[in-house]
Amino acid sequence: MTQASPDLITFGESMALFMPPEHRALERASTLEQGFGGAESNVAVGAARLGVSVGWFGTLGNDPFGHMIVKTLRGEGVDVSRVKLSSEAPTGLMFRETVAGRLAVHYYRKHSAASRVQPEDLDEAYIRGSKLLHVTGISMAISESSRRTVERAVDIALDAGVPVSFDPNLRLKLWSIEEARDALLPLAAKADYFLPGWDELQLLYETSDWDHVVERLSALRAISIVKSKGDQTVILNNGATEEVPFYPADNVVDTVGAGDGFCAGFLAGIVKGMTPVEAVKLASVTGSLAVQMRGDWEALPTWAVASSRLGGQAWVER
């Protein structure tokens, strides 16, 4: 690894996030809470808090939202040296609200700075010098050029012998399921670690037959980590299957970011030299803690907290 490259690298779109207080609907809110979110930057924060050397890059608007995102990520210990600020396009926005007791997300990301990214924008040496590249299907969905950039980054990593982690992160507000299948399944075939949810696999493979899905996953070169198969995570590795129960959440407040928290824990575990099963156990802890506070990444734990939960240590309140 070169000095310029962190162990774990990821990239994508981060957006300014606005939420009404007290889980209100947007049309009835007089004030909004500001933050930011994005699958890949959420993962980067989570991994950094777990003590992993991690870098996130992407293109943001040269605006107050872009500056806020960069400063916050840097403060969390994430390397942002490859982030670009564009004066030609804005940082994307997203709004979250609660409607009839269910979460609703509204995106304002068309023509955003991130959607204009090109394969030529990649720092190839930065990717080649890392130990693990993590990408998601969201970056493939926001624009054609972003999709080509993800594909190019994966090829750069594989050519250099850098393992690739892929979370499909299926977002049907961004594209159709047919478009998603055409883009995501070929990338899953290239990955070293494939981290889909059971609900995503049913849509991607067009079946709810678990045995058929296992057959499809077993044909991949990747170690597959299937999230939310009932109340457990299923690991498929070289034909063997292992199940890891969820770590219980004491107080569920906000489920957004649970999958990213899980990914952060899993990838941090792999970088730290854990086995896939050990990494999934860590991921279950980080995913559980991620849902116990408002926001996409704010509740993600430090290594001290996560390791104490893994070790079953009692929490001292006072």
Side-chain angles (χ1 to χ4, degrees), residues 2-38:
T2 66
Q3 285 188 334
S5 299
D7 289 342
L8 171 62
I9 288 175
T10 187
F11 69 96
E13 180 169 31
S14 284
M15 296 165 287
L17 167 64
F18 297 91
M19 300 179 290
E22 301 174 359
H23 301 281
R24 296 182 182 178
L26 280 166
E27 65 184 78
R28 297 181 180 86
S30 57
T31 60
L32 296 175
E33 301 171 6
Q34 178 183 310
F36 74 92

Side-chain angles (χ1 to χ4, degrees), residues 167-245:
D167 184 341
N169 253 325
L170 190 59
R171 297 290 186 270
L172 295 181
K173 282 193 174 183
L174 300 178
W175 56 0
S176 70
I177 186 60
E178 292 78 19
E179 291 173 309
R181 289 191 191 106
D182 287 345
L184 301 183
L185 293 180
L187 191 55
K190 291 184 175 183
D192 296 274
Y193 301 100
F194 183 38
L195 294 95
W198 169 232
D199 57 338
E200 294 172 320
L201 287 175
Q202 293 177 79
L203 291 169
L204 290 172
Y205 289 150
E206 302 181 77
T207 181
S208 58
D209 184 330
W210 173 244
D211 291 336
H212 178 70
V213 170
V214 168
E215 183 180 342
R216 295 286 296 270
L217 293 175
S218 298
L220 302 177
R221 61 187 293 269
I223 296 173
S224 293
I225 311 297
V226 182
K227 298 168 286 185
S228 299
K229 179 66 170 66
D231 58 354
Q232 60 196 5
T233 300
V234 181
I235 305 165
L236 287 88
N237 186 5
N238 290 324
T241 300
E242 188 150 358
E243 300 169 351
V244 177

Side-chain angles (χ1 to χ4, degrees), residues 62-240:
N62 187 15
D63 52 38
F65 303 126
H67 298 162
M68 175 265 294
I69 292 170
V70 170
K71 289 177 181 178
T72 306
L73 290 175
R74 184 185 293 120
E76 288 287 340
V78 176
D79 177 41
V80 290
S81 61
R82 270 57 177 185
V83 172
K84 296 183 179 180
L85 297 176
S86 170
S87 298
E88 307 300 321
T91 302
L93 306 178
M94 63 175 165
F95 294 80
R96 281 170 43 194
E97 64 175 338
T98 301
V99 178
R102 302 191 67 176
L103 176 73
V105 180
H106 310 279
Y107 296 120
Y108 295 84
R109 64 202 305 177
K110 190 174 183 179
H111 305 307
S112 68
S115 70
R116 299 188 180 194
V117 68
Q118 301 288 337
E120 306 85 69
D121 295 329
L122 295 170
D123 183 335
E124 296 194 12
Y126 190 66
I127 295 172
R128 292 178 183 276
S130 68
K131 292 182 178 178
L132 182 61
L133 172 70
H134 177 65
V135 297
T136 81
I138 296 175
S139 294
M140 302 188 76
I142 60 174
S143 70
E144 177 59 31
S145 65
S146 183
R147 172 179 170 176
R148 289 188 285 106
T149 302
V150 172
E151 292 169 341
R152 176 59 185 153
V154 168
D155 288 342
I156 292 168
L158 295 178
D159 287 346
V162 175
V164 171
S165 163
F166 175 48
D167 184 341
N169 253 325
L170 190 59
R171 297 290 186 270
L172 295 181
K173 282 193 174 183
L174 300 178
W175 56 0
S176 70
I177 186 60
E178 292 78 19
E179 291 173 309
R181 289 191 191 106
D182 287 345
L184 301 183
L185 293 180
L187 191 55
K190 291 184 175 183
D192 296 274
Y193 301 100
F194 183 38
L195 294 95
W198 169 232
D199 57 338
E200 294 172 320
L201 287 175
Q202 293 177 79
L203 291 169
L204 290 172
Y205 289 150
E206 302 181 77
T207 181
S208 58
D209 184 330
W210 173 244
D211 291 336
H212 178 70
V213 170
V214 168
E215 183 180 342
R216 295 286 296 270
L217 293 175
S218 298
L220 302 177
R221 61 187 293 269
I223 296 173
S224 293
I225 311 297
V226 182
K227 298 168 286 185
S228 299
K229 179 66 170 66
D231 58 354
Q232 60 196 5
T233 300
V234 181
I235 305 165
L236 287 88
N237 186 5
N238 290 324

